Amino acid sequence: MTQDNENKHNFNKLNHVAEEVLADSTKKKSIWQTMLIPALAILTGLILGAVIIISTSEEVYTGFQQSFGAGLSASWSAVANSYSSLFKGAFGDPAYIIESLRSGDALEIRRALNPFLESLVVATPYIFAGLAVALGFRAGLFNIGVEGQLFMGAIAATYVGYSIKGLPGFIHMPLALLAGAAGGAIWGFVPGWLKAKTGGHEVINTIMMNWIAFRLTEWLLTGPMTRPNAGRIPVSPIIEKSAEIPQFFKAPIRFHLGFFIALAVAYLIYWLLFKTTWGFNLRTVGANPRAAKYAGMNIARNTIMAMTISGALAGLAGANQVLAINRSMAIGLSSGYGFDSIALALLGNSHPFGVILGALFFGVLRNGATKMMVTTAIPIDIISILQALILMFVAAPAIIRAIYRIRKPKAGDEAVVFAGSWGGNK
Amino acid sequence: MASTIIQRKKIETVSPTRKLVMGIVFVVISGLILLFFALNSEAEWITTFVMNPGGLERGLAGDWVLPTSLTLYVLVGLTLGMGIYQLLRGFGKQTNAILGVVVALFVFAFLTWAAGGKSLNLGGMLSSAVLLSVPITLGAFSGVLCERAGVVNIAIEGMMLMASMVGALVGSITQSLIIGLLASIAASVLLALVHAVLSIKYKINQIISGTVINIFSAGMTSYISAKFLQRYEYLNGPPIFPRFPIPLLADIPIIGPILFNQNIFVYAMFILLIVLQVALFRTRWGLRLRSVGEHPKAADTLGINVFRTRYMAVLLGGVVAGIGGAFFTLGSVGRFDEMMTAGKGYIGLAAMVFGNWTPIGSFGAGMLFGFADSIATKLSILGTTIPPQFMSMAPYITTMIVLAGIVGKGQMPAADGEPYEKE
């Protein structure tokens, strides 16, 4: 191709991309269309989850030994028991809620609604972490290092939380949150910088950064940041009262301000991505770096910025957990938020509002599963299986379409699942 | 695309910056040995390296007794000499291998210093390093197979985890090592098949497909473990492959007890190393496989079935990862614990990158990472003040440095991670 031709080609491409990126922010797709695949993915995931519950239940096997009918009814009751206790665990017992509403006692109502409030509490770090992954996707980057950034954010927030004393709450708490964002941002900046300057792929680098973060945390919690008189347990000192994110009600209700901070941050990210030039540039770089380069956009700067902000969001997830819930830092801070958030960002089509919905769903799932484990002895790990299946179906809508005989939508109508390559965009 | 590959090669052999950077790296390492170890040791220190792993009657060797600071100064001189030669003349194509030697000398210097005035069982340490490197190296081999054919596989961790659980479960029920191992491989291959179908047929992002498998494996193995393995002890007690000294080879002093008095997983690693290295780079089969990873369209034009080649590569990768997973339960511990692979699959990925997507390089990197692990566990015994966590971080940091191209740009297969669309 001659230089002239190539320029022309790039120019056409650029126009096309710009149209697409613009259309993405203005076109009003029907809600039904956008939600169909995720909804069916969730449904299919739950059905397969039921199959797993049935096939690992001892009652079912003893039932089938007696008779076929007994086996079927045992299967049904195994699934019904688990999913109903998951539902009750996540939203509260409907009978109890109605009763409490009738009695009109404020305390009773709060207690009856607590399972749902707890689901929101569990969803909060998911919102931050999901936003981190989603922002990366929009910029064409795969941030698989949310877990490590979350740890660094938590460490930084904890340090500011316990080492500074005597500040008023309205300064100390935001300061600790900012420290958390900064901690995560540094951990996101490094792979972003490496990608922009050396082309080192962010997936490998963020995986490496994850493990460096885990080891660093281990060392800090057993060494410089260890709690005095805690023996050899790797745990940090407890943060100051002034650094805590306030909870709205008395214990055991843990619903806290962090949830609303998460919503506000989600709106901020939405505004940044879809209402500012910066966001437009970022999305163009993500959609087609070559065209973006031709248009004079600075790809390196966009990459670094995107990874840094993504890291900051992940750091907020960690800071939120420490400041609102745990009040100190321990090794087992995160139970896989980083990897789950990849699933929920895709579930939410990498859109901040979609991320909120996805996070609420995952919060409900995890909180419900915790209760389900107590009442039905089904290990909480079932939700990881569900999340993996849902992620698979969302990422490969062709499977869902084949199962439910849905016709292929017109080109461009379907949410484009981020599909970059290992070698980056050469 | 083909032209870019040729260009890259040309740049690599003549790049003066890289030659310079490597020379400086060697000199800096030499300086580090001088500063931290040589100047920090007492003149009368004697370092004793015990070269027998213990519990053996064959291949015995005498202890190495070295005057600490003299040894250290010799090491300073050696590394400095290599640095100066690199700066003046350059090692050319051998540069990466020399880097490996320099790093090994640095580690040796560290051990000499740390064991100054004491004795250290270097033989035992190396022997355990070989064992620790098995899952890393096998994971890296699995990655090499997949990525050379153009399929990125970050699911190695998940495949190994599943394989280790299934191996423990089946091995416990049947009390048979062979059936346990075969079950491990089958489980891993099944997940590899899922990865292959998702990424080759459905063309979904290969990293997402890998993430699916990793989350699924973590969930499924923990689920089965909590529901069955932890509750019924007889389901979690598989037999373990015993050590099996190879006749004659095990009698070689020093090398024998370290390399040839191990279990079959270690030997499988050696055999796979040779087989893969030859198959990938010296046979028509390997050429085809690599061409699919470099330029699938050209390969297709020449009549190579891109899809079938990729399926085969990913499934073979599954077999190798399955053996690596079985090592955890059937080759070392003899029981399954939740999340017991502890990121070894990811380190395997790192070893693959470090080893420049070749079996021999992956093997070297795997050994180095295994040795770092082995040192990390012994650091406290040596009584140094260096936190073991920092030692464990070393593989990750070196991988990032290698990836950044500071010590020579790796040559990733050109079409790695790109789904192939037949026109």
Side-chain angles (χ1 to χ4, degrees):
Chain A
M1 233 187 285
T2 64
Q3 190 61 37
D4 229 27
N5 258 342
E6 191 166 357
N7 282 350
K8 208 167 172 186
H9 176 74
N10 275 339
F11 185 71
N12 284 341
K13 227 174 183 175
L14 175 68
N15 270 341
H16 184 66
V17 171
E19 266 166 29
E20 251 176 34
V21 172
L22 269 180
D24 200 25
S25 43
T26 52
K27 192 172 66 185
K28 292 270 179 287
K29 262 187 282 179
S30 80
I31 302 250
W32 167 245
Q33 261 181 351
T34 340
M35 301 277 271
L36 184 63
I37 293 286
L40 286 176
I42 291 172
L43 179 72
T44 321
L46 288 175
I47 292 172
L48 286 178
V51 172
I52 290 169
I53 290 173
I54 291 171
S55 55
T56 56
S57 156
E58 286 148 64
E59 288 80 29
V60 171
Y61 287 107
T62 45
F64 272 112
Q65 272 162 12
Q66 284 164 10
S67 72
F68 188 69
L72 280 188
S73 88
S75 311
W76 170 250
S77 70
V79 173
N81 275 343
S82 10
Y83 281 162
S84 77
S85 72
L86 190 144
F87 180 86
K88 278 183 202 163
F91 294 102
D93 187 346
Y96 182 33
I97 293 175
I98 292 169
E99 194 188 307
S100 70
L101 283 174
R102 280 224 186 95
S103 74
D105 180 7
L107 187 70
E108 276 300 298
I109 295 174
R110 280 207 294 265
R111 270 202 198 132
L113 288 176
N114 186 30
F116 179 64
L117 293 176
E118 184 63 22
S119 290
L120 298 183
V121 168
V122 180
T124 307
Y126 274 133
I127 298 179
F128 287 120
L131 286 172
V133 178
L135 187 91
F137 279 159
R138 286 285 171 180
L141 296 163
F142 205 126
N143 183 3
I144 208 164
V146 167
E147 192 86 357
Q149 292 147 13
L150 187 149
F151 266 81
M152 295 320 290
I155 276 284
T158 310
Y159 182 73
V160 170
Y162 76 76
S163 65
I164 302 175
K165 293 184 169 67
L167 279 180
F170 65 91
I171 296 174
H172 198 180
M173 188 272 280
L175 195 68
L177 263 183
L178 276 181
I186 294 170
W187 233 241
F189 169 81
V190 174
W193 185 84
L194 284 171
K195 165 104 179 182
K197 298 294 172 194
T198 72
H201 200 278
E202 79 274 9
V203 167
I204 299 181
N205 277 333
T206 48
I207 291 175
M208 298 302 120
M209 295 290 282
N210 275 348
W211 291 93
I212 297 172
F214 300 154
R215 296 288 166 269
L216 197 63
T217 310
E218 237 173 76
W219 172 66
L220 284 171
L221 292 183
T222 47
M225 276 177 69
T226 191
R227 186 186 297 178
N229 315 321
R232 297 185 63 84
I233 306 163
V235 62
S236 79
I238 299 168
I239 59 166
E240 292 288 297
K241 200 93 189 131
S242 54
E244 287 175 9
I245 294 177
Q247 299 182 346
F248 293 117
F249 308 108
K250 281 201 189 90
I253 304 175
R254 305 196 291 177
F255 188 54
H256 58 82
L257 187 64
F259 179 70
F260 295 104
I261 298 176
L263 293 185
V265 169
Y267 186 80
L268 180 74
I269 295 296
Y270 162 77
W271 180 79
L272 269 177
L273 274 176
F274 294 100
K275 302 290 172 203
T276 65
T277 322
W278 180 82
F280 177 79
N281 287 352
L282 191 90
R283 283 181 297 132
T284 310
V285 169
N288 190 334
R290 212 179 261 175
K293 193 174 178 187
Y294 182 69
M297 294 173 186
N298 187 336
I299 296 183
R301 200 178 58 203
N302 268 301
T303 301
I304 297 174
M305 283 286 270
M307 279 306 286
T308 309
I309 297 177
S310 179
L313 289 166
L316 281 176
N320 172 79
Q321 282 312 83
V322 166
L323 301 178
I325 306 290
N326 297 3
R327 309 271 157 79
S328 68
M329 173 86 189
I331 300 268
L333 168 85
S334 160
S335 30
Y337 288 118
F339 292 105
D340 296 352
S341 57
I342 295 167
L344 84 86
L346 278 181
L347 193 60
N349 196 19
S350 301
H351 189 288
F353 298 156
V355 165
I356 295 178
L357 289 180
L360 289 178
F361 174 65
F362 274 29
V364 160
L365 208 57
R366 181 181 281 262
N367 182 36
T370 317
K371 308 283 160 54
M372 180 172 76
M373 184 164 63
V374 179
T375 49
T376 64
I378 290 176
I380 192 170
D381 309 289
I382 186 82
I383 61 162
S384 296
I385 302 175
L386 289 179
Q387 282 163 354
L389 292 170
I390 292 168
L391 172 60
M392 179 172 84
F393 293 134
V394 176
I399 302 177
I400 289 290
R401 278 201 301 271
I403 297 175
Y404 296 97
R405 318 259 165 218
I406 303 168
R407 257 182 301 142
K408 204 176 167 131
K410 278 172 287 165
D413 245 11
E414 179 128 295
V416 180
V417 172
F418 158 86
S421 78
W422 198 229
N425 297 287
K426 283 167 281 215
Chain B
M1 198 104 43
S3 64
T4 53
I5 296 166
I6 296 162
Q7 270 171 4
R8 249 195 297 171
K9 272 219 170 102
K10 216 188 285 168
I11 292 166
E12 212 200 8
T13 42
V14 294
S15 164
T17 355
R18 190 171 154 249
K19 188 182 137 200
L20 187 72
V21 170
M22 287 289 260
I24 293 171
V25 167
F26 294 172
V27 174
V28 166
I29 289 179
S30 164
L32 289 176
I33 299 176
L34 179 72
L35 205 66
F36 286 108
F37 308 142
L39 295 178
N40 245 339
S41 57
E42 313 273 332
E44 69 273 19
W45 277 2
I46 297 283
T47 303
T48 313
F49 286 126
V50 180
M51 296 310 291
N52 295 315
L56 286 176
E57 286 87 43
R58 43 206 318 185
L60 293 180
D63 296 349
W64 290 0
V65 183
L66 306 168
T68 308
S69 64
L70 180 68
T71 314
L72 287 171
Y73 282 112
V74 170
L75 290 171
V76 170
L78 269 176
T79 45
L80 189 66
M82 286 188 212
I84 290 169
Y85 185 83
Q86 169 71 11
L87 285 174
L88 297 179
R89 304 284 297 273
F91 283 101
K93 281 177 99 179
Q94 255 62 58
T95 313
N96 271 354
I98 298 294
L99 175 72
V101 172
V102 170
V103 170
L105 289 179
F106 177 78
V107 174
F108 185 67
F110 166 73
L111 290 175
T112 309
W113 170 75
K118 284 169 272 190
S119 96
L120 173 73
N121 192 336
L122 188 63
M125 205 174 215
L126 287 170
S127 168
S128 85
V130 170
L131 213 55
L132 285 168
S133 75
V134 170
I136 301 173
T137 309
L138 290 180
F141 286 172
S142 170
V144 169
L145 268 169
C146 298
E147 303 215 350
R148 278 287 173 180
V151 180
V152 166
N153 192 354
I154 66 163
I156 297 164
E157 173 82 5
M159 281 156 42
M160 295 211 299
L161 188 61
M162 187 63 88
S164 65
M165 191 276 288
V166 171
L169 186 63
V170 175
S172 307
I173 294 171
T174 60
Q175 285 299 314
S176 158
L177 284 166
I178 301 298
I179 298 177
L181 179 61
L182 289 178
S184 283
I185 293 173
S188 171
V189 168
L190 210 62
L191 288 180
L193 183 65
V194 173
H195 183 55
V197 170
L198 285 178
S199 53
I200 300 169
K201 177 152 187 262
Y202 288 103
K203 300 184 174 59
I204 80 170
N205 182 292
Q206 294 167 7
I207 295 161
I208 291 174
S209 161
T211 309
V212 166
I213 289 167
N214 284 339
I215 299 178
F216 179 81
S217 289
M220 199 64 180
T221 52
S222 301
Y223 181 86
I224 304 267
S225 168
K227 198 137 173 77
F228 301 110
L229 299 189
Q230 284 170 18
R231 279 203 279 168
Y232 310 105
E233 269 306 309
Y234 65 91
L235 288 178
N236 199 5
I240 306 176
F241 279 100
R243 269 172 195 267
F244 167 71
I246 295 182
L248 295 176
L249 288 177
D251 294 323
I252 305 169
I254 300 176
I255 300 173
I258 292 169
L259 294 182
F260 301 111
N261 183 31
Q262 304 273 13
N263 62 25
I264 62 155
F265 289 97
V266 175
Y267 305 138
M269 175 172 75
F270 294 146
I271 293 168
L272 275 171
L273 165 67
I274 297 163
V275 169
L276 284 179
Q277 186 72 30
V278 172
L280 278 176
F281 295 99
R282 293 278 178 273
T283 68
R284 187 179 300 181
W285 177 85
L287 184 66
R288 287 183 173 166
L289 191 144
R290 285 184 293 129
S291 72
V292 166
E294 293 288 349
H295 203 315
K297 198 180 269 178
D300 197 3
T301 316
L302 293 172
I304 298 169
N305 188 331
V306 175
F307 295 120
R308 202 170 56 202
T309 311
R310 286 193 168 174
Y311 270 109
M312 179 197 62
V314 175
L315 293 184
L316 282 179
V319 172
V320 176
I323 301 173
F327 168 80
F328 287 94
T329 44
L330 302 174
S332 71
V333 187
R335 61 170 286 122
F336 176 79
D337 295 309
E338 283 176 29
M339 307 306 286
M340 79 184 302
T341 46
K344 286 286 189 295
Y346 292 121
I347 307 189
L349 208 64
M352 175 198 72
V353 175
F354 195 33
N356 200 11
W357 284 265
T358 64
I360 183 83
S362 303
F363 173 77
M367 282 289 172
L368 206 64
F369 292 177
F371 195 52
D373 263 2
S374 165
I375 295 176
T377 55
K378 301 265 160 56
L379 269 183
S380 51
I381 302 169
L382 284 173
T384 56
T385 48
I386 301 167
Q389 287 89 358
F390 283 37
M391 206 68 215
S392 319
M393 273 182 217
Y396 311 120
I397 296 171
T398 31
T399 302
M400 290 176 70
I401 294 172
V402 168
L403 201 62
I406 295 169
V407 286
K409 195 86 181 160
Q411 292 226 15
M412 171 188 301
D416 207 1
E418 285 171 16
Y420 181 60
E421 203 87 50
K422 203 173 164 74
E423 281 164 12

